């Protein structure tokens, strides 16, 4: 197997930025402070990423790939196991302790995006649709009609987002898991009633 070539500069800067914002957050973040911390300069960051907001949004997406339990969590919906077991496996992946730094950054960026329209619109659009679309796809594959699958998927993702917030604010993983398990049983029952297969 041949040696890898040097890491492209834009990838290096994105990787370093992701590490920085995971550790320090984005409150008070300036391009000057960031560029000094990662060994670059403002002009290079703007050249590669266009704006601070675009850089942060891309860094958040990049950071998510460093949390394998989180990035693969929703794929647990694909399988032959009973739906309630698959749902709980999804939550276990989302709530894994290693994911806590990402959840903190996610909600920080979300708060800024919601409070300051225009800064992270692309991030807000992505957050509003990515998980919902994935979940809806799995529900359709399980025989749920498309419109019902979309509605149920939105409800499930709202549950997960709320429990992520609860997990961060209370640190009580066991109670969050128990709450999810109860909701998953009710949700699985509703999915079963909606299936057309």
């Amino acid at each position: 197997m041949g040696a890898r070539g040097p890491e492209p500069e834009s990838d290096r800067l994105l990787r370093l930025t992701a590490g920085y914002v995971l550790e320090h957050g984005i409150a008070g973040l300036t391009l000057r402070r960031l560029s000094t911390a990662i060994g670059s300069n403002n002009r290079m960051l703007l050249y590669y990423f266009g704006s601070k907001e675009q850089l942060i949004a891309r860094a958040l997406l990049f950071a998510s790939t460093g949390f394998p339990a989180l990035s693969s969590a929703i794929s647990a919906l694909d399988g032959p196991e009973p739906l309630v077991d698959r749902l709980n496996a999804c939550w276990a992946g989302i709530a894994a302790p290693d994911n806590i730094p990402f959840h903190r950054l996610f909600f920080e960026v979300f708060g800024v995006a919601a409070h300051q329209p225009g800064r992270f619109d692309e991030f807000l659009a992505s957050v509003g649709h990515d998980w919902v679309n994935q979940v809806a796809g799995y529900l359709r594959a399980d025989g749920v009609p498309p419109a019902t699958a979309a509605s149920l998927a939105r409800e499930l993702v709202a549950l997960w987002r709320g429990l992520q917030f609860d997990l961060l604010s209370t640190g009580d993983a066991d109670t969050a898991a128990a709450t999810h398990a109860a909701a998953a049983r009710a949700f699985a029952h509703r999915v079963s009633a909606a299936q057309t297969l």
Side-chain angles (χ1 to χ4, degrees):
M1 187 166 154
R4 286 179 142 189
E7 182 179 28
E9 182 64 3
S10 61
D11 291 354
R12 184 185 78 84
L13 293 173
L14 193 58
R15 175 176 52 78
L16 293 172
T17 298
Y20 183 88
V21 296
L22 279 167
E23 183 176 351
H24 301 285
I26 64 166
L29 179 69
T30 65
L31 283 179
R32 176 166 290 141
R33 182 177 299 140
L34 174 63
S35 62
T36 299
I38 66 174
S40 185
N41 61 63
N42 295 4
R43 289 176 54 209
M44 289 305 292
L45 293 176
L46 292 173
Y47 171 77
Y48 283 114
F49 304 104
S51 70
K52 181 173 78 171
E53 286 73 20
Q54 289 173 315
L55 173 58
I56 291 170
R58 287 195 49 199
L60 188 67
L61 290 173
F62 183 90
S64 70
T65 66
F67 296 85
L70 180 62
S71 58
S72 65
I74 296 177
S75 65
L77 284 176
D78 185 23
E81 299 83 8
L83 180 58
V84 69
D85 295 339
R86 290 182 277 150
L87 291 168
N88 286 323
C90 289
W91 175 247
I94 293 167
D98 289 348
N99 294 336
I100 295 300
F102 180 81
H103 295 322
R104 283 193 193 106
L105 179 61
F106 173 88
F107 280 107
E108 183 180 7
V109 174
F110 182 84
V112 172
H115 186 66
Q116 299 176 16
R119 283 197 64 193
F120 295 105
D121 289 348
E122 187 176 329
F123 168 76
L124 275 180
S126 171
V127 165
H129 299 291
D130 287 353
W131 278 12
V132 171
N133 291 340
Q134 290 177 57
V135 171
Y138 287 118
L139 293 176
R140 288 192 306 271
D142 276 355
V144 177
T148 305
S151 177
L152 288 170
R154 188 171 190 163
E155 181 181 326
L156 181 62
V157 172
L159 170 70
W160 287 340
R161 294 292 187 212
L163 287 175
Q164 284 173 273
F165 189 82
D166 181 76
L167 189 60
L168 283 179
S169 61
T170 68
D172 189 346
D174 292 339
T175 299
T179 300
H180 184 273
R185 286 191 296 275
F187 186 86
H189 180 74
R190 291 173 57 213
V191 168
S192 179
Q195 287 172 323
T196 58
L197 290 180

